[in-house]
Amino acid sequence: MRHADRITTIQVFRSLGIEPSSNQSWSVGLRVANLYIKEFGEQPPKENRTKTCGVGVHCFALYPRDWFDRIAEIIHTVCEEERRQMDLFAHE
């Protein structure tokens, strides 16, 4: 599969209208990478792409485009977990 036929977790976040925090991005990235390793037995391919801020490059893990829904589900789970965690401290 060519790298052009793949997506990044950041692309999925943005398609959902979410600008992730660093914590969200790392948490989702780790979960998706672990899922990929479990399914394929190896790390996802990576490619240097322009950073999200537009300056410089960053190594991004690349996933099959048909993983969009899987990644979106993980994003929603992470965001919900984070929201619940914040709710715990809001009542103190």
Side-chain angles (χ1 to χ4, degrees), residues 1 5-9 29 32-33 36 44 61-65 67 71:
M1 180 178 297
D5 296 333
R6 296 181 175 260
I7 57 172
T8 67
T9 57
V32 176
Y36 189 93
L62 304 173
Y63 299 98
R65 286 199 178 276
W67 273 46
I71 296 169

Side-chain angles (χ1 to χ4, degrees), residues 24-92:
Q24 290 169 330
S25 182
W26 279 97
S27 183
V28 168
L30 179 61
R31 292 178 193 205
V32 176
N34 285 339
L35 183 62
Y36 189 93
I37 292 165
K38 184 177 178 182
E39 187 160 320
F40 295 104
E42 62 186 21
Q43 291 280 333
K46 296 177 178 73
E47 179 177 87
N48 283 333
R49 292 188 175 187
T50 303
K51 285 185 175 183
T52 305
C53 66
V55 179
V57 295
H58 185 278
C59 186
F60 287 91
L62 304 173
Y63 299 98
R65 286 199 178 276
D66 65 359
W67 273 46
F68 182 96
D69 290 339
R70 285 177 164 184
I71 296 169
E73 183 176 329
I74 291 170
I75 288 170
H76 289 300
T77 298
V78 166
C79 291
E80 178 61 22
E81 287 171 357
E82 188 175 83
R83 187 193 63 75
R84 283 195 314 260
Q85 188 69 20
M86 294 304 292
D87 287 349
L88 286 175
F89 296 105
H91 300 291
E92 292 183 358

